[in-house]
Amino acid sequence: GGVGRDYSVATVFDRDDLVCVAEFASNRVDPDFFGAEIVLPLGIYYNNALVVVESNNHGGTVLSQLRGRYHNLFVRQDWNSISHSYKEEYGFRTDTRTRPRILDALARALRENTWTPSKALLDEMKTFVMKEDKKIEAMEGYFDDRVMAAGVALAVHFERPVAAYPKFQPRVVSGAVADRWMGY
């Protein structure tokens, strides 16, 4: 978001069980430093994780630090109504069209009890409310940056699931190891 204003948040979920394994949040870090010195090392350290950057506002600066240096960036498909074709764009745009997807993903994770969020995220969610104008956001004086980061990650996770492969279990047959694949 910007120094002294909104928080820059990086949340890392294990896609196998949706456990929050790492989280960084600060409103005292510049977007270029955030991309190069926080997001890039996190992506590499966590097994070349899929990195989903909110591309609005300062997200472009974060993406500029990652493009060409990191290979597993989220790419969305934007429809071009003039050329009647899809165009690939880096990052996740949050706007009035995608906000319901973010909120639905959070609701699904809560409803299905399929995730393990951080304590800081749970604390922030306590101040994430529906206001009188029906807009869902942080209460006055609070932030929703962790909530939105988690919601974006969950939306991508639910909309683009990871392929599930059967577990490989070697078995011994007459002293030799034979492959056991799908029970055969």
Side-chain angles (χ1 to χ4, degrees):
V3 175
R5 295 192 309 263
D6 289 344
Y7 282 74
S8 296
V9 176
T11 303
V12 181
F13 284 101
D14 183 328
R15 291 195 76 183
D16 286 338
D17 55 11
L18 290 181
V19 171
C20 180
V21 295
E23 186 175 71
F24 173 89
S26 174
N27 68 347
R28 299 183 187 278
V29 61
D30 290 315
D32 56 335
F33 182 87
F34 180 66
E37 302 297 328
I38 306 298
V39 178
L40 178 62
L42 280 172
I44 293 168
Y45 181 80
Y46 285 99
N47 302 316
N48 294 309
L50 174 63
V51 172
V52 183
V53 177
E54 180 184 22
S55 59
N56 304 41
N57 303 319
H58 299 289
T61 303
V62 174
L63 283 167
S64 73
Q65 295 299 313
L66 298 171
R67 288 187 63 190
R69 297 172 68 191
Y70 191 75
H71 71 284
N72 199 11
L73 291 173
F74 173 78
V75 177
R76 70 181 187 277
Q77 300 285 323
D78 283 349
W79 178 253
N80 184 318
S81 59
I82 296 170
S83 66
H84 299 286
S85 63
Y86 284 99
K87 180 179 178 187
E88 290 188 342
E89 295 285 343
Y90 286 97
F92 190 103
R93 292 223 27 105
T94 53
D95 55 31
T96 56
R97 290 180 306 117
T98 60
R99 192 170 175 88
R101 292 170 39 207
I102 294 167
L103 297 176
D104 288 347
L106 285 163
R108 177 178 173 182
L110 288 167
R111 183 177 59 250
E112 295 178 358
N113 196 26
T114 57
W115 69 328
T116 305
S118 69
K119 181 183 180 325
L121 173 57
L122 288 174
D123 289 343
E124 191 172 281
M125 290 178 75
K126 293 176 187 175
T127 65
F128 194 70
V129 298
M130 182 182 292
K131 296 191 173 179
E132 289 181 18
D133 62 359
K134 304 294 184 202
K135 188 169 183 184
I136 301 171
E137 60 187 9
M139 293 171 18
E140 191 67 34
Y142 292 91
F143 295 96
D144 62 6
D145 304 296
R146 280 182 174 92
V147 174
M148 294 304 290
V152 166
L154 290 167
V156 169
H157 173 75
F158 290 135
E159 293 171 9
R160 297 185 186 180
V162 176
Y165 297 103
K167 298 228 185 263
F168 173 76
Q169 298 175 344
R171 64 184 168 133
V172 177
V173 178
S174 302
V177 175
D179 293 344
R180 182 175 177 198
W181 185 256
M182 296 181 64
Y184 299 106

